[in-house]
Amino acid sequence: MKTKILQVHPEMFQNEELREACSILQSDGLVAFPTETVYGLGANALHREAATKIYEAKGRPSDNPLIIHIANRESIYELASEVPAKAEALADAFWPGPLTMILPKAERVPASTTGGLDTVAIRMPSHPVALELIRQSGVYVAAPSANVSGRPSPTRADHVIEDLSGRIDMIIDGGEVGIGLESTIVDLTTEIPLVLRPGYITMDMLRDVVGEIMLDPAVDSRERKPDIVAKAPGMKYRHYAPKGQLIIIEGEIQRVISCIHGLVQEKQQNGYRVAVIATEETKGAYPADIVYSIGSRKSEGSIAAGLYDILREMDHLGAEYIFAESFEDDSLGQAIMNRMLKAAGYHLLKA
């Protein structure tokens, strides 16, 4: 398969530019497109065969649910059999935007899209290209991240090309995305809403709208939970991983720096290619030729936006061992640590 690349300006594109992409979606083909979080790999969510193509292109386990993307708020009532008041309140507050809601699915949603579950994941993205693509195509778009399953999610079209060129029909290149982490996922099928994946919409932001809210214990765990039922993408399998072994070091920062120095020396003496992921505040504490800054701790948004890009850079460098500082489990740091732990396969050391 030859993959077509369509370049569009994320803010100043013409609607007609998306005509071929819309036709591909209508014909059960696959189109990768930018959202405000990461690039998504889209197909017609209501056609079983189209959803199956997504799993095949990504090499994704079929019990890993897909998120359905919509362009009209009212579409939620066509995809969910029940929409509680708290879901409506969250939609009022955060749609369009980086929030996915889990609801009881309507009969029309095929099991191939929901990973065999009786619930459905729905979100309304805010990226103008994504919204116009969904609106103009006239289909609901199932779209996980546009990468090979297990690899770091794509924040640029180059990442999608690297992983999926030759596997899908089209890639819409809309430039670099803004947030760089996947959407927050909230399960609203329980009495108290349950966060299944932390993201840009934080726990505090959710509490301001719906009051009491809980974090799924599997998300808060420091170890892999292989036997859980994956009600949301990214809960069960290793994700976001570079090819080398990522190891996260947590503790008081000076102890962390000292510990990483010792680990680097040990691995280098044994002939391994080693890299360190640090922050702007600490990058000067490590050997300059192996340290890479992920951003500033004063701006968690910069760290979130650069996380997947730097993990992919580790592959380009051929790093066999990667040692990274940890981040606080609050606010956006919770989402950052969630992704880093999965990328590391839960390899975590205390300094």
Side-chain angles (χ1 to χ4, degrees):
M1 177 188 296
K2 182 174 175 56
T3 301
K4 296 181 179 179
I5 310 297
L6 172 66
Q7 289 189 320
V8 299
H9 191 285
E11 301 289 345
M12 297 186 293
F13 66 95
Q14 299 296 315
N15 292 350
E16 304 83 60
E17 295 179 67
L18 301 179
R19 189 169 297 157
E20 185 177 4
C22 292
S23 178
I24 291 170
L25 289 175
Q26 292 161 355
S27 303
D28 292 345
L30 301 181
V31 177
F33 61 96
T35 78
E36 73 278 18
T37 56
V38 298
Y39 272 75
L41 177 59
N44 189 332
L46 300 187
H47 286 197
R48 181 177 62 82
E49 297 80 6
T52 300
K53 287 181 181 180
I54 290 178
Y55 291 116
E56 291 175 349
K58 284 177 60 73
R60 180 185 177 102
S62 60
D63 64 346
N64 205 1
L66 305 175
I67 295 173
I68 299 182
H69 291 63
I70 62 177
N72 186 311
R73 163 80 178 273
E74 299 306 309
S75 297
I76 190 174
Y77 303 101
E78 298 181 23
L79 298 171
S81 62
E82 180 184 345
V83 182
K86 287 180 180 179
E88 293 178 336
L90 288 172
D92 286 339
F94 301 117
W95 276 6
L99 178 71
T100 295
M101 292 191 277
I102 305 286
L103 297 165
K105 84 175 187 70
E107 285 294 324
R108 67 186 306 192
V109 181
S112 57
T113 297
T114 66
L117 301 176
D118 58 5
T119 55
V120 61
I122 307 170
R123 107 170 174 94
M124 183 177 176
S126 63
H127 195 289
V129 172
L131 283 173
E132 181 57 27
L133 178 68
I134 300 164
R135 187 199 66 77
Q136 194 179 136
S137 68
V139 303
Y140 299 127
V141 178
S145 55
N147 58 300
V148 169
S149 188
R151 295 273 288 127
S153 297
T155 56
R156 303 197 311 260
D158 289 349
H159 299 160
V160 185
I161 293 169
E162 181 180 17
D163 279 12
L164 298 179
S165 181
R167 298 187 182 204
I168 64 177
D169 300 285
M170 177 179 281
I171 298 169
I172 301 175
D173 182 353
E176 194 164 1
V177 302
I179 293 174
L181 289 179
E182 298 85 353
S183 60
T184 302
I185 300 181
V186 182
D187 183 358
L188 289 152
T189 65
T190 57
E191 183 176 346
I192 299 173
L194 195 63
V195 173
L196 304 184
R197 182 174 72 188
Y200 185 81
I201 306 298
T202 66
M203 296 282 287
D204 286 343
M205 294 164 71
L206 295 168
R207 288 191 188 98
D208 287 344
V209 177
V210 296
E212 187 176 5
I213 193 161
M214 296 178 62
L215 184 67
D216 188 284
V219 176
D220 204 27
S221 174
R222 282 295 203 264
E223 59 186 22
R224 190 195 302 269
K225 301 286 186 180
D227 299 325
I228 63 172
V229 175
K231 293 188 72 174
M235 290 190 69
K236 185 174 182 180
Y237 299 98
R238 189 182 183 205
H239 281 260
Y240 325 118
K243 294 174 183 176
Q245 178 59 63
L246 173 64
I247 300 170
I248 303 168
I249 318 300
E250 70 174 357
E252 190 273 325
I253 191 60
Q254 291 304 318
R255 290 179 179 270
V256 168
I257 292 170
S258 177
C259 181
I260 290 177
H261 271 286
L263 291 166
V264 166
Q265 185 176 31
E266 175 194 341
K267 295 301 180 186
Q268 286 182 328
Q269 286 175 348
N270 284 288
Y272 292 105
R273 292 179 66 87
V274 181
V276 173
I277 297 178
T279 62
E280 285 297 305
E281 290 80 5
T282 57
K283 65 181 182 181
Y286 303 101
D289 58 332
I290 65 167
V291 65
Y292 297 86
S293 173
I294 197 173
S296 172
R297 289 183 184 272
K298 297 175 183 177
S299 173
E300 288 183 334
S302 70
I303 292 172
L307 175 60
Y308 295 141
D309 193 45
I310 204 166
L311 290 179
R312 284 181 176 266
E313 180 63 19
M314 295 298 103
D315 289 347
H316 299 154
L317 294 168
E320 296 169 283
Y321 283 91
I322 307 147
F323 300 104
E325 300 171 358
S326 67
F327 295 88
E328 295 297 326
D329 271 349
D330 58 2
S331 190
L332 192 53
Q334 185 178 65
I336 294 167
M337 273 300 288
N338 172 262
R339 306 314 195 272
M340 289 185 69
L341 282 166
K342 287 182 177 296
Y346 293 90
H347 281 76
L348 182 72
L349 295 179
K350 292 187 181 294

